[in-house]
Amino acid sequence: PELLDAVEALVGEEVLCNPIQHVRGKVPHAMSEGGFFNVPWHQDLAVTWEEADSSEIVTCWVALADATVENGCMEVLPG
């Protein structure tokens, strides 16, 4: 309910879930194979259709554990 309230505050009461849903697990460094423990930079907009370019799309990131700079919190580049 809290997440839905936050999204509604941004886009209004009409909230739709689109089929572009991704789960990108980021395991702790100690559990990673080959030392890859970071999710590479990406743009969620890259997987939408051109007609969605003018849509207001909210992406939600949910940490399943404490997210700190030391263990890998989300970084956002404005624009």
Side-chain angles (χ1 to χ4, degrees):
E2 291 86 3
L3 179 58
L4 182 56
D5 289 345
V7 173
E8 285 180 343
L10 294 172
V11 299
E13 292 183 3
E14 186 177 345
V15 176
L16 304 171
C17 183
N18 69 43
I20 306 170
Q21 300 170 20
H22 303 285
V23 175
R24 290 186 176 94
K26 180 184 175 296
V27 300
H29 186 325
M31 295 175 63
S32 66
E33 294 182 23
F36 185 79
F37 55 92
N38 206 358
V39 176
W41 286 105
H42 64 278
Q43 291 182 327
D44 292 333
L45 180 63
V47 295
T48 62
W49 290 346
E50 189 174 333
E51 59 257 27
D53 285 351
S54 62
S55 299
E56 294 192 64
I57 299 173
V58 177
T59 298
C60 300
W61 180 80
V62 179
L64 301 178
D66 290 339
T68 65
V69 172
E70 290 76 26
N71 71 6
C73 59
M74 176 183 264
E75 296 180 69
V76 177
L77 297 176

